[in-house]
Amino acid sequence: MASSGLEKAVEFYKELEAAWSKKDIKAVGKLLPKLKIHLLSLSFLPTGDKESEMDSRPLLIARSMLEIGAFWSLECRDVFSFERYVAQLKSYYFDYSGILKESDYMYSILGLNLMHLLARNRLGEFHTELEVFPPEQLRNVYLKKPIMLEQFLMEGSYHKIYLSKEDIPDPYYSLFIVNLLNTIRDEIAKSTEKAYSSISFSEASRLLMIEDEADFIKYANERGWSHDLNKREFIFSNTSEQDKGEVADTDLQSPRVIIQQCLGYARELEKIV
């Protein structure tokens, strides 16, 4: 790489870093593609046969740029952009680990990627990602959190997931915990619709893990649930007689058992696919 080209890349990166430190999201969004294009025009990826012959400086700039891009994507609530940045970062974290010093943000970003996969119920990919880490690295605080949440999910301990939203190693984790809770809540709601012809406000609030009454009424309305304000209960008009019969035949009187069984079926289907 020509010296002038590297200097220009450093200049672009410093501008990007300054914008990110100010959380100027709009400016970062404009600078990221400019730096990407400049680095691509310089053919910055290493081509030497020996690691000692490779210049790590452009690699460090590219890696730092992609890390800013990953966090910027989360600021924009664009998880698909985040996923693309993570895919590119893996080369720098693993393929060039002999050239580059380990990034301070590596475990945070890879942990967030695990949270993303968990929240989208992509459990097969979640476990595949874990396989790249040796056992000692899995004790890292950024990786332990998604692993613990996945265990709670398998156990059906959804209240533990709900309570864990306050204990996170990085503020960005809360985004994916909210998404995970929404996924769980939708599965519980589907099971509740099948299991009951009606349910009290208090029981629905407990099952759906929504404390504010206005919020869970709004959620119920979005799902098309009718409600009786006098009896303070929801009525499931979409529950057919056949569905009720199927539920009765199972002799499963506990809503928790029904919910866990339905989620278990979903997880088994995920493994098959």
PDB file of all heavy atoms in Angstrom, residues 154-187:
ATOM      1  N   MET A 154     -34.316 -23.030  27.260  1.00  0.00           N
ATOM      2  CA  MET A 154     -34.499 -24.472  27.167  1.00  0.00           C
ATOM      3  C   MET A 154     -35.270 -25.024  28.363  1.00  0.00           C
ATOM      4  O   MET A 154     -36.044 -25.970  28.241  1.00  0.00           O
ATOM      5  CB  MET A 154     -33.124 -25.171  27.077  1.00  0.00           C
ATOM      6  CG  MET A 154     -32.332 -24.867  25.809  1.00  0.00           C
ATOM      7  SD  MET A 154     -33.155 -25.379  24.282  1.00  0.00           S
ATOM      8  CE  MET A 154     -33.805 -23.814  23.691  1.00  0.00           C
ATOM      9  N   GLU A 155     -35.042 -24.408  29.541  1.00  0.00           N
ATOM     10  CA  GLU A 155     -35.721 -24.857  30.758  1.00  0.00           C
ATOM     11  C   GLU A 155     -37.170 -24.385  30.816  1.00  0.00           C
ATOM     12  O   GLU A 155     -37.974 -24.919  31.585  1.00  0.00           O
ATOM     13  CB  GLU A 155     -34.996 -24.308  31.994  1.00  0.00           C
ATOM     14  CG  GLU A 155     -33.579 -24.814  32.176  1.00  0.00           C
ATOM     15  CD  GLU A 155     -32.827 -24.038  33.249  1.00  0.00           C
ATOM     16  OE1 GLU A 155     -33.442 -23.130  33.867  1.00  0.00           O
ATOM     17  OE2 GLU A 155     -31.644 -24.328  33.480  1.00  0.00           O
ATOM     18  N   GLY A 156     -37.490 -23.367  30.012  1.00  0.00           N
ATOM     19  CA  GLY A 156     -38.807 -22.751  30.113  1.00  0.00           C
ATOM     20  C   GLY A 156     -38.887 -21.763  31.256  1.00  0.00           C
ATOM     21  O   GLY A 156     -39.977 -21.385  31.688  1.00  0.00           O
ATOM     22  N   SER A 157     -37.711 -21.316  31.756  1.00  0.00           N
ATOM     23  CA  SER A 157     -37.672 -20.359  32.872  1.00  0.00           C
ATOM     24  C   SER A 157     -37.738 -18.938  32.320  1.00  0.00           C
ATOM     25  O   SER A 157     -36.775 -18.167  32.406  1.00  0.00           O
ATOM     26  CB  SER A 157     -36.387 -20.556  33.693  1.00  0.00           C
ATOM     27  OG  SER A 157     -36.295 -21.857  34.195  1.00  0.00           O
ATOM     28  N   TYR A 158     -38.879 -18.583  31.774  1.00  0.00           N
ATOM     29  CA  TYR A 158     -39.004 -17.306  31.085  1.00  0.00           C
ATOM     30  C   TYR A 158     -38.947 -16.118  32.043  1.00  0.00           C
ATOM     31  O   TYR A 158     -38.506 -15.029  31.661  1.00  0.00           O
ATOM     32  CB  TYR A 158     -40.304 -17.278  30.278  1.00  0.00           C
ATOM     33  CG  TYR A 158     -40.468 -18.517  29.425  1.00  0.00           C
ATOM     34  CD1 TYR A 158     -41.589 -19.323  29.542  1.00  0.00           C
ATOM     35  CD2 TYR A 158     -39.461 -18.902  28.531  1.00  0.00           C
ATOM     36  CE1 TYR A 158     -41.717 -20.472  28.789  1.00  0.00           C
ATOM     37  CE2 TYR A 158     -39.592 -20.047  27.772  1.00  0.00           C
ATOM     38  CZ  TYR A 158     -40.716 -20.829  27.907  1.00  0.00           C
ATOM     39  OH  TYR A 158     -40.841 -21.974  27.164  1.00  0.00           O
ATOM     40  N   HIS A 159     -39.395 -16.345  33.284  1.00  0.00           N
ATOM     41  CA  HIS A 159     -39.334 -15.255  34.258  1.00  0.00           C
ATOM     42  C   HIS A 159     -37.892 -14.874  34.565  1.00  0.00           C
ATOM     43  O   HIS A 159     -37.589 -13.722  34.849  1.00  0.00           O
ATOM     44  CB  HIS A 159     -40.066 -15.660  35.542  1.00  0.00           C
ATOM     45  CG  HIS A 159     -39.416 -16.774  36.298  1.00  0.00           C
ATOM     46  ND1 HIS A 159     -39.434 -18.087  35.853  1.00  0.00           N
ATOM     47  CD2 HIS A 159     -38.693 -16.778  37.458  1.00  0.00           C
ATOM     48  CE1 HIS A 159     -38.786 -18.854  36.716  1.00  0.00           C
ATOM     49  NE2 HIS A 159     -38.322 -18.094  37.677  1.00  0.00           N
ATOM     50  N   LYS A 160     -36.973 -15.854  34.477  1.00  0.00           N
ATOM     51  CA  LYS A 160     -35.556 -15.562  34.712  1.00  0.00           C
ATOM     52  C   LYS A 160     -34.989 -14.691  33.584  1.00  0.00           C
ATOM     53  O   LYS A 160     -34.137 -13.835  33.832  1.00  0.00           O
ATOM     54  CB  LYS A 160     -34.753 -16.860  34.828  1.00  0.00           C
ATOM     55  CG  LYS A 160     -35.063 -17.663  36.079  1.00  0.00           C
ATOM     56  CD  LYS A 160     -34.183 -18.904  36.166  1.00  0.00           C
ATOM     57  CE  LYS A 160     -34.494 -19.709  37.418  1.00  0.00           C
ATOM     58  NZ  LYS A 160     -33.649 -20.948  37.488  1.00  0.00           N
ATOM     59  N   ILE A 161     -35.452 -14.937  32.366  1.00  0.00           N
ATOM     60  CA  ILE A 161     -35.031 -14.094  31.244  1.00  0.00           C
ATOM     61  C   ILE A 161     -35.540 -12.683  31.457  1.00  0.00           C
ATOM     62  O   ILE A 161     -34.822 -11.703  31.249  1.00  0.00           O
ATOM     63  CB  ILE A 161     -35.557 -14.658  29.909  1.00  0.00           C
ATOM     64  CG1 ILE A 161     -34.953 -16.045  29.644  1.00  0.00           C
ATOM     65  CG2 ILE A 161     -35.236 -13.709  28.751  1.00  0.00           C
ATOM     66  CD1 ILE A 161     -35.502 -16.734  28.405  1.00  0.00           C
ATOM     67  N   TYR A 162     -36.780 -12.577  31.910  1.00  0.00           N
ATOM     68  CA  TYR A 162     -37.377 -11.268  32.159  1.00  0.00           C
ATOM     69  C   TYR A 162     -36.591 -10.512  33.233  1.00  0.00           C
ATOM     70  O   TYR A 162     -36.291  -9.320  33.076  1.00  0.00           O
ATOM     71  CB  TYR A 162     -38.832 -11.451  32.588  1.00  0.00           C
ATOM     72  CG  TYR A 162     -39.553 -10.160  32.886  1.00  0.00           C
ATOM     73  CD1 TYR A 162     -39.995  -9.339  31.854  1.00  0.00           C
ATOM     74  CD2 TYR A 162     -39.792  -9.767  34.202  1.00  0.00           C
ATOM     75  CE1 TYR A 162     -40.661  -8.147  32.122  1.00  0.00           C
ATOM     76  CE2 TYR A 162     -40.458  -8.576  34.479  1.00  0.00           C
ATOM     77  CZ  TYR A 162     -40.884  -7.780  33.433  1.00  0.00           C
ATOM     78  OH  TYR A 162     -41.531  -6.602  33.702  1.00  0.00           O
ATOM     79  N   LEU A 163     -36.234 -11.204  34.312  1.00  0.00           N
ATOM     80  CA  LEU A 163     -35.514 -10.563  35.406  1.00  0.00           C
ATOM     81  C   LEU A 163     -34.080 -10.209  35.029  1.00  0.00           C
ATOM     82  O   LEU A 163     -33.501  -9.259  35.564  1.00  0.00           O
ATOM     83  CB  LEU A 163     -35.505 -11.487  36.642  1.00  0.00           C
ATOM     84  CG  LEU A 163     -36.866 -11.742  37.289  1.00  0.00           C
ATOM     85  CD1 LEU A 163     -36.740 -12.782  38.395  1.00  0.00           C
ATOM     86  CD2 LEU A 163     -37.456 -10.452  37.850  1.00  0.00           C
ATOM     87  N   SER A 164     -33.499 -10.958  34.090  1.00  0.00           N
ATOM     88  CA  SER A 164     -32.097 -10.739  33.722  1.00  0.00           C
ATOM     89  C   SER A 164     -31.877  -9.504  32.870  1.00  0.00           C
ATOM     90  O   SER A 164     -30.743  -9.128  32.597  1.00  0.00           O
ATOM     91  CB  SER A 164     -31.557 -11.964  32.972  1.00  0.00           C
ATOM     92  OG  SER A 164     -32.118 -12.042  31.677  1.00  0.00           O
ATOM     93  N   LYS A 165     -32.970  -8.843  32.434  1.00  0.00           N
ATOM     94  CA  LYS A 165     -32.816  -7.683  31.554  1.00  0.00           C
ATOM     95  C   LYS A 165     -32.120  -6.525  32.237  1.00  0.00           C
ATOM     96  O   LYS A 165     -31.615  -5.612  31.572  1.00  0.00           O
ATOM     97  CB  LYS A 165     -34.178  -7.236  31.019  1.00  0.00           C
ATOM     98  CG  LYS A 165     -35.143  -6.742  32.084  1.00  0.00           C
ATOM     99  CD  LYS A 165     -36.485  -6.369  31.468  1.00  0.00           C
ATOM    100  CE  LYS A 165     -37.458  -5.863  32.542  1.00  0.00           C
ATOM    101  NZ  LYS A 165     -38.746  -5.469  31.956  1.00  0.00           N
ATOM    102  N   GLU A 166     -32.063  -6.548  33.582  1.00  0.00           N
ATOM    103  CA  GLU A 166     -31.387  -5.477  34.311  1.00  0.00           C
ATOM    104  C   GLU A 166     -29.906  -5.782  34.521  1.00  0.00           C
ATOM    105  O   GLU A 166     -29.135  -4.882  34.847  1.00  0.00           O
ATOM    106  CB  GLU A 166     -32.061  -5.269  35.677  1.00  0.00           C
ATOM    107  CG  GLU A 166     -33.556  -4.985  35.598  1.00  0.00           C
ATOM    108  CD  GLU A 166     -33.867  -3.706  34.837  1.00  0.00           C
ATOM    109  OE1 GLU A 166     -33.009  -2.805  34.824  1.00  0.00           O
ATOM    110  OE2 GLU A 166     -34.959  -3.631  34.236  1.00  0.00           O
ATOM    111  N   ASP A 167     -29.517  -7.029  34.367  1.00  0.00           N
ATOM    112  CA  ASP A 167     -28.135  -7.446  34.633  1.00  0.00           C
ATOM    113  C   ASP A 167     -27.461  -7.806  33.313  1.00  0.00           C
ATOM    114  O   ASP A 167     -27.435  -8.966  32.905  1.00  0.00           O
ATOM    115  CB  ASP A 167     -28.127  -8.642  35.589  1.00  0.00           C
ATOM    116  CG  ASP A 167     -26.713  -9.122  35.898  1.00  0.00           C
ATOM    117  OD1 ASP A 167     -25.775  -8.314  35.765  1.00  0.00           O
ATOM    118  OD2 ASP A 167     -26.558 -10.307  36.262  1.00  0.00           O
ATOM    119  N   ILE A 168     -26.917  -6.810  32.633  1.00  0.00           N
ATOM    120  CA  ILE A 168     -26.320  -7.021  31.316  1.00  0.00           C
ATOM    121  C   ILE A 168     -24.910  -6.437  31.269  1.00  0.00           C
ATOM    122  O   ILE A 168     -24.622  -5.426  31.913  1.00  0.00           O
ATOM    123  CB  ILE A 168     -27.189  -6.385  30.203  1.00  0.00           C
ATOM    124  CG1 ILE A 168     -27.525  -4.922  30.531  1.00  0.00           C
ATOM    125  CG2 ILE A 168     -28.455  -7.186  29.994  1.00  0.00           C
ATOM    126  CD1 ILE A 168     -28.316  -4.211  29.464  1.00  0.00           C
ATOM    127  N   PRO A 169     -23.998  -7.067  30.524  1.00  0.00           N
ATOM    128  CA  PRO A 169     -22.612  -6.590  30.454  1.00  0.00           C
ATOM    129  C   PRO A 169     -22.417  -5.392  29.534  1.00  0.00           C
ATOM    130  O   PRO A 169     -21.358  -4.774  29.535  1.00  0.00           O
ATOM    131  CB  PRO A 169     -21.857  -7.815  29.923  1.00  0.00           C
ATOM    132  CG  PRO A 169     -22.873  -8.548  29.100  1.00  0.00           C
ATOM    133  CD  PRO A 169     -24.180  -8.341  29.806  1.00  0.00           C
ATOM    134  N   ASP A 170     -23.419  -5.093  28.712  1.00  0.00           N
ATOM    135  CA  ASP A 170     -23.316  -3.999  27.751  1.00  0.00           C
ATOM    136  C   ASP A 170     -24.737  -3.484  27.478  1.00  0.00           C
ATOM    137  O   ASP A 170     -25.665  -4.281  27.341  1.00  0.00           O
ATOM    138  CB  ASP A 170     -22.682  -4.512  26.448  1.00  0.00           C
ATOM    139  CG  ASP A 170     -22.428  -3.409  25.441  1.00  0.00           C
ATOM    140  OD1 ASP A 170     -23.420  -2.892  24.885  1.00  0.00           O
ATOM    141  OD2 ASP A 170     -21.266  -3.067  25.190  1.00  0.00           O
ATOM    142  N   PRO A 171     -24.924  -2.155  27.417  1.00  0.00           N
ATOM    143  CA  PRO A 171     -26.276  -1.618  27.193  1.00  0.00           C
ATOM    144  C   PRO A 171     -26.953  -2.141  25.934  1.00  0.00           C
ATOM    145  O   PRO A 171     -28.187  -2.245  25.892  1.00  0.00           O
ATOM    146  CB  PRO A 171     -26.029  -0.100  27.086  1.00  0.00           C
ATOM    147  CG  PRO A 171     -24.777   0.141  27.856  1.00  0.00           C
ATOM    148  CD  PRO A 171     -23.937  -1.076  27.634  1.00  0.00           C
ATOM    149  N   TYR A 172     -26.168  -2.496  24.902  1.00  0.00           N
ATOM    150  CA  TYR A 172     -26.767  -2.973  23.660  1.00  0.00           C
ATOM    151  C   TYR A 172     -27.450  -4.330  23.833  1.00  0.00           C
ATOM    152  O   TYR A 172     -28.285  -4.714  23.018  1.00  0.00           O
ATOM    153  CB  TYR A 172     -25.717  -3.072  22.559  1.00  0.00           C
ATOM    154  CG  TYR A 172     -25.216  -1.729  22.070  1.00  0.00           C
ATOM    155  CD1 TYR A 172     -23.899  -1.336  22.267  1.00  0.00           C
ATOM    156  CD2 TYR A 172     -26.065  -0.838  21.408  1.00  0.00           C
ATOM    157  CE1 TYR A 172     -23.431  -0.105  21.819  1.00  0.00           C
ATOM    158  CE2 TYR A 172     -25.615   0.391  20.961  1.00  0.00           C
ATOM    159  CZ  TYR A 172     -24.297   0.755  21.171  1.00  0.00           C
ATOM    160  OH  TYR A 172     -23.852   1.973  20.731  1.00  0.00           O
ATOM    161  N   TYR A 173     -27.092  -5.066  24.887  1.00  0.00           N
ATOM    162  CA  TYR A 173     -27.713  -6.369  25.120  1.00  0.00           C
ATOM    163  C   TYR A 173     -29.209  -6.234  25.375  1.00  0.00           C
ATOM    164  O   TYR A 173     -29.985  -7.152  25.082  1.00  0.00           O
ATOM    165  CB  TYR A 173     -27.045  -7.079  26.306  1.00  0.00           C
ATOM    166  CG  TYR A 173     -25.780  -7.823  25.960  1.00  0.00           C
ATOM    167  CD1 TYR A 173     -24.692  -7.163  25.404  1.00  0.00           C
ATOM    168  CD2 TYR A 173     -25.660  -9.187  26.191  1.00  0.00           C
ATOM    169  CE1 TYR A 173     -23.530  -7.834  25.085  1.00  0.00           C
ATOM    170  CE2 TYR A 173     -24.494  -9.878  25.878  1.00  0.00           C
ATOM    171  CZ  TYR A 173     -23.430  -9.183  25.313  1.00  0.00           C
ATOM    172  OH  TYR A 173     -22.276  -9.857  24.994  1.00  0.00           O
ATOM    173  N   SER A 174     -29.610  -5.090  25.942  1.00  0.00           N
ATOM    174  CA  SER A 174     -31.025  -4.896  26.262  1.00  0.00           C
ATOM    175  C   SER A 174     -31.895  -4.938  25.013  1.00  0.00           C
ATOM    176  O   SER A 174     -33.046  -5.384  25.058  1.00  0.00           O
ATOM    177  CB  SER A 174     -31.226  -3.575  27.005  1.00  0.00           C
ATOM    178  OG  SER A 174     -30.845  -2.475  26.190  1.00  0.00           O
ATOM    179  N   LEU A 175     -31.357  -4.483  23.885  1.00  0.00           N
ATOM    180  CA  LEU A 175     -32.104  -4.508  22.623  1.00  0.00           C
ATOM    181  C   LEU A 175     -32.522  -5.926  22.271  1.00  0.00           C
ATOM    182  O   LEU A 175     -33.670  -6.191  21.898  1.00  0.00           O
ATOM    183  CB  LEU A 175     -31.257  -3.911  21.507  1.00  0.00           C
ATOM    184  CG  LEU A 175     -31.769  -4.072  20.069  1.00  0.00           C
ATOM    185  CD1 LEU A 175     -33.079  -3.310  19.886  1.00  0.00           C
ATOM    186  CD2 LEU A 175     -30.725  -3.588  19.061  1.00  0.00           C
ATOM    187  N   PHE A 176     -31.586  -6.858  22.399  1.00  0.00           N
ATOM    188  CA  PHE A 176     -31.869  -8.239  22.010  1.00  0.00           C
ATOM    189  C   PHE A 176     -32.691  -8.972  23.077  1.00  0.00           C
ATOM    190  O   PHE A 176     -33.462  -9.878  22.745  1.00  0.00           O
ATOM    191  CB  PHE A 176     -30.566  -8.979  21.724  1.00  0.00           C
ATOM    192  CG  PHE A 176     -29.830  -8.429  20.539  1.00  0.00           C
ATOM    193  CD1 PHE A 176     -28.642  -7.742  20.693  1.00  0.00           C
ATOM    194  CD2 PHE A 176     -30.348  -8.555  19.262  1.00  0.00           C
ATOM    195  CE1 PHE A 176     -27.968  -7.210  19.597  1.00  0.00           C
ATOM    196  CE2 PHE A 176     -29.695  -8.034  18.160  1.00  0.00           C
ATOM    197  CZ  PHE A 176     -28.500  -7.358  18.335  1.00  0.00           C
ATOM    198  N   ILE A 177     -32.532  -8.588  24.353  1.00  0.00           N
ATOM    199  CA  ILE A 177     -33.364  -9.201  25.391  1.00  0.00           C
ATOM    200  C   ILE A 177     -34.819  -8.815  25.168  1.00  0.00           C
ATOM    201  O   ILE A 177     -35.732  -9.639  25.324  1.00  0.00           O
ATOM    202  CB  ILE A 177     -32.883  -8.786  26.797  1.00  0.00           C
ATOM    203  CG1 ILE A 177     -31.528  -9.459  27.102  1.00  0.00           C
ATOM    204  CG2 ILE A 177     -33.905  -9.184  27.860  1.00  0.00           C
ATOM    205  CD1 ILE A 177     -30.961  -9.137  28.462  1.00  0.00           C
ATOM    206  N   VAL A 178     -35.064  -7.570  24.794  1.00  0.00           N
ATOM    207  CA  VAL A 178     -36.426  -7.123  24.480  1.00  0.00           C
ATOM    208  C   VAL A 178     -36.982  -7.942  23.314  1.00  0.00           C
ATOM    209  O   VAL A 178     -38.130  -8.407  23.350  1.00  0.00           O
ATOM    210  CB  VAL A 178     -36.451  -5.619  24.147  1.00  0.00           C
ATOM    211  CG1 VAL A 178     -37.801  -5.223  23.552  1.00  0.00           C
ATOM    212  CG2 VAL A 178     -36.169  -4.794  25.397  1.00  0.00           C
ATOM    213  N   ASN A 179     -36.161  -8.145  22.271  1.00  0.00           N
ATOM    214  CA  ASN A 179     -36.602  -8.939  21.115  1.00  0.00           C
ATOM    215  C   ASN A 179     -36.885 -10.385  21.517  1.00  0.00           C
ATOM    216  O   ASN A 179     -37.850 -10.997  21.050  1.00  0.00           O
ATOM    217  CB  ASN A 179     -35.540  -8.906  20.016  1.00  0.00           C
ATOM    218  CG  ASN A 179     -35.417  -7.546  19.362  1.00  0.00           C
ATOM    219  OD1 ASN A 179     -36.323  -6.718  19.483  1.00  0.00           O
ATOM    220  ND2 ASN A 179     -34.314  -7.290  18.684  1.00  0.00           N
ATOM    221  N   LEU A 180     -36.022 -10.940  22.392  1.00  0.00           N
ATOM    222  CA  LEU A 180     -36.207 -12.314  22.856  1.00  0.00           C
ATOM    223  C   LEU A 180     -37.493 -12.434  23.663  1.00  0.00           C
ATOM    224  O   LEU A 180     -38.266 -13.381  23.484  1.00  0.00           O
ATOM    225  CB  LEU A 180     -35.006 -12.745  23.695  1.00  0.00           C
ATOM    226  CG  LEU A 180     -35.065 -14.154  24.312  1.00  0.00           C
ATOM    227  CD1 LEU A 180     -35.212 -15.213  23.229  1.00  0.00           C
ATOM    228  CD2 LEU A 180     -33.812 -14.420  25.148  1.00  0.00           C
ATOM    229  N   LEU A 181     -37.739 -11.469  24.545  1.00  0.00           N
ATOM    230  CA  LEU A 181     -38.964 -11.487  25.347  1.00  0.00           C
ATOM    231  C   LEU A 181     -40.205 -11.365  24.457  1.00  0.00           C
ATOM    232  O   LEU A 181     -41.234 -11.999  24.725  1.00  0.00           O
ATOM    233  CB  LEU A 181     -38.937 -10.352  26.370  1.00  0.00           C
ATOM    234  CG  LEU A 181     -38.002 -10.559  27.562  1.00  0.00           C
ATOM    235  CD1 LEU A 181     -37.902  -9.286  28.392  1.00  0.00           C
ATOM    236  CD2 LEU A 181     -38.462 -11.721  28.437  1.00  0.00           C
ATOM    237  N   ASN A 182     -40.107 -10.574  23.408  1.00  0.00           N
ATOM    238  CA  ASN A 182     -41.232 -10.446  22.486  1.00  0.00           C
ATOM    239  C   ASN A 182     -41.518 -11.764  21.778  1.00  0.00           C
ATOM    240  O   ASN A 182     -42.675 -12.143  21.574  1.00  0.00           O
ATOM    241  CB  ASN A 182     -40.946  -9.351  21.446  1.00  0.00           C
ATOM    242  CG  ASN A 182     -41.040  -7.958  22.033  1.00  0.00           C
ATOM    243  OD1 ASN A 182     -41.684  -7.748  23.052  1.00  0.00           O
ATOM    244  ND2 ASN A 182     -40.382  -7.000  21.400  1.00  0.00           N
ATOM    245  N   THR A 183     -40.430 -12.480  21.393  1.00  0.00           N
ATOM    246  CA  THR A 183     -40.594 -13.787  20.750  1.00  0.00           C
ATOM    247  C   THR A 183     -41.257 -14.771  21.706  1.00  0.00           C
ATOM    248  O   THR A 183     -42.199 -15.492  21.337  1.00  0.00           O
ATOM    249  CB  THR A 183     -39.227 -14.335  20.310  1.00  0.00           C
ATOM    250  OG1 THR A 183     -38.639 -13.443  19.350  1.00  0.00           O
ATOM    251  CG2 THR A 183     -39.364 -15.718  19.680  1.00  0.00           C
ATOM    252  N   ILE A 184     -40.783 -14.799  22.950  1.00  0.00           N
ATOM    253  CA  ILE A 184     -41.360 -15.690  23.964  1.00  0.00           C
ATOM    254  C   ILE A 184     -42.811 -15.318  24.230  1.00  0.00           C
ATOM    255  O   ILE A 184     -43.692 -16.180  24.322  1.00  0.00           O
ATOM    256  CB  ILE A 184     -40.540 -15.607  25.265  1.00  0.00           C
ATOM    257  CG1 ILE A 184     -39.139 -16.193  25.050  1.00  0.00           C
ATOM    258  CG2 ILE A 184     -41.249 -16.350  26.396  1.00  0.00           C
ATOM    259  CD1 ILE A 184     -38.197 -15.955  26.204  1.00  0.00           C
ATOM    260  N   ARG A 185     -43.072 -14.014  24.346  1.00  0.00           N
ATOM    261  CA  ARG A 185     -44.422 -13.540  24.636  1.00  0.00           C
ATOM    262  C   ARG A 185     -45.406 -13.966  23.538  1.00  0.00           C
ATOM    263  O   ARG A 185     -46.533 -14.378  23.827  1.00  0.00           O
ATOM    264  CB  ARG A 185     -44.392 -12.021  24.776  1.00  0.00           C
ATOM    265  CG  ARG A 185     -45.725 -11.413  25.202  1.00  0.00           C
ATOM    266  CD  ARG A 185     -45.550  -9.943  25.530  1.00  0.00           C
ATOM    267  NE  ARG A 185     -44.766  -9.762  26.738  1.00  0.00           N
ATOM    268  CZ  ARG A 185     -43.618  -9.070  26.795  1.00  0.00           C
ATOM    269  NH1 ARG A 185     -43.132  -8.500  25.710  1.00  0.00           N
ATOM    270  NH2 ARG A 185     -42.974  -8.952  27.934  1.00  0.00           N
ATOM    271  N   ASP A 186     -44.963 -13.885  22.293  1.00  0.00           N
ATOM    272  CA  ASP A 186     -45.840 -14.293  21.188  1.00  0.00           C
ATOM    273  C   ASP A 186     -46.141 -15.788  21.244  1.00  0.00           C
ATOM    274  O   ASP A 186     -47.265 -16.219  20.955  1.00  0.00           O
ATOM    275  CB  ASP A 186     -45.202 -13.933  19.842  1.00  0.00           C
ATOM    276  CG  ASP A 186     -45.216 -12.434  19.573  1.00  0.00           C
ATOM    277  OD1 ASP A 186     -45.978 -11.721  20.238  1.00  0.00           O
ATOM    278  OD2 ASP A 186     -44.439 -11.983  18.698  1.00  0.00           O
ATOM    279  N   GLU A 187     -45.127 -16.590  21.606  1.00  0.00           N
ATOM    280  CA  GLU A 187     -45.346 -18.035  21.708  1.00  0.00           C
ATOM    281  C   GLU A 187     -46.311 -18.358  22.855  1.00  0.00           C
ATOM    282  O   GLU A 187     -47.171 -19.227  22.740  1.00  0.00           O
ATOM    283  CB  GLU A 187     -44.007 -18.761  21.925  1.00  0.00           C
ATOM    284  CG  GLU A 187     -43.062 -18.708  20.744  1.00  0.00           C
ATOM    285  CD  GLU A 187     -43.629 -19.388  19.508  1.00  0.00           C
ATOM    286  OE1 GLU A 187     -44.398 -20.361  19.671  1.00  0.00           O
ATOM    287  OE2 GLU A 187     -43.320 -18.950  18.393  1.00  0.00           O
TER     288      GLU A 187
END
